[in-house]
Amino acid sequence: MPFSNSHPQGSRRSVFSCLLPLALAALAISPLSAAADGKPTIGIIGAGHEGSALGTLWAKAGYKVVFATRDPRQLQALVAGIGPNASASSVDQAIDRGDVVVLAVPYRAEPEIAKQYGAKLAGKILIDVDNAYPGRDGDIAVAARAAGVARYSARLFAGTRFVRAFNSINANSLGPGCGEALYSYTDDEAGRVTAELIRAAGCTPVRGQDL
């Protein structure tokens, strides 16, 4: 019998081996408080004007930022210029490492990203900063605008804690005193975290339409 008094040392080892996984689980830290300072790690898919501007501001505010493109080697100059809080990786790695994931890509890329990475993104706070321009993005932008871009994207990434933010602010205007930034969300915690990130980017969060 595993708990027999005739084998106290074996019993202790057996109990310890059973309880160890539970103890480790109890010590697990919530993803949004994984850093010692409580700041979430941010994975940014895309490193164009908007993504690089936001990532730079967040890194300087003390957040760990992981930029991702199909070829992260192209981002070495960017991360070197930002400093130790910035790094570059593949999209898969950025999603894995990010407590918050930011979409900063041409809108036409969203359906493919949802198809390829939707399962990996499930449960993540996903902040969509993309705007839909029919002249650049084609039919997908037309469909998104007809349905409402925020709602259209929220449906594309239905398994995420979706937020739409920073869409009303030009990348060149980001930083201290950048003014009001509208944001809409499907999850209260995602909304709270995004409001903090909006402030860290120098803007004032203003709640937009419900999703």
Side-chain angles (χ1 to χ4, degrees):
M1 295 177 61
F3 297 105
S4 169
N5 289 331
S6 62
H7 300 286
Q9 292 181 344
S11 299
R12 292 192 190 100
R13 283 195 295 269
S14 177
V15 171
F16 180 77
S17 65
C18 292
L19 292 180
L20 180 59
L22 296 175
L24 292 175
L27 291 173
I29 300 173
S30 168
L32 294 180
S33 60
D37 56 8
K39 288 184 169 70
T41 297
I42 305 165
I44 302 180
I45 302 174
H49 294 306
E50 194 82 7
S52 59
L54 285 170
T56 299
L57 289 166
W58 288 331
K60 292 185 182 303
Y63 292 85
K64 297 293 184 183
V65 177
V66 185
F67 292 98
T69 63
R70 290 175 179 171
D71 185 0
R73 292 172 298 180
Q74 297 178 352
L75 304 178
Q76 295 307 311
L78 172 65
V79 300
I82 294 173
N85 281 340
S87 60
S89 75
S90 68
V91 174
D92 278 298
Q93 291 170 330
I95 294 172
D96 285 339
R97 293 170 60 188
D99 304 308
V100 177
V101 178
V102 176
L103 274 181
V105 297
Y107 196 83
R108 63 180 179 273
E110 287 201 5
E112 182 58 31
I113 291 173
K115 179 180 178 181
Q116 187 170 352
Y117 300 104
K120 187 179 283 286
L121 286 165
K124 296 271 188 179
I125 293 177
L126 180 67
I127 302 176
D128 180 5
V129 308
D130 302 336
N131 282 310
Y133 299 112
R136 180 194 65 185
D137 302 310
D139 291 344
I140 185 69
V142 175
R145 287 191 169 197
V149 177
R151 293 191 178 97
Y152 192 93
S153 293
R155 289 199 297 268
L156 278 177
F157 297 95
T160 68
R161 301 156 75 184
F162 183 85
V163 184
R164 182 168 166 81
F166 294 106
N167 315 91
S168 60
I169 299 178
N170 187 279
N172 295 327
S173 300
L174 291 167
C178 73
E180 296 182 345
L182 294 174
Y183 70 116
S184 302
Y185 53 86
T186 58
D187 177 278
D188 287 342
E189 176 67 2
R192 183 192 67 76
V193 171
T194 301
E196 292 177 359
L197 293 177
I198 290 172
R199 294 187 188 97
C203 308
T204 302
V206 176
R207 175 96 184 256
Q209 65 180 346
D210 291 335
L211 298 181

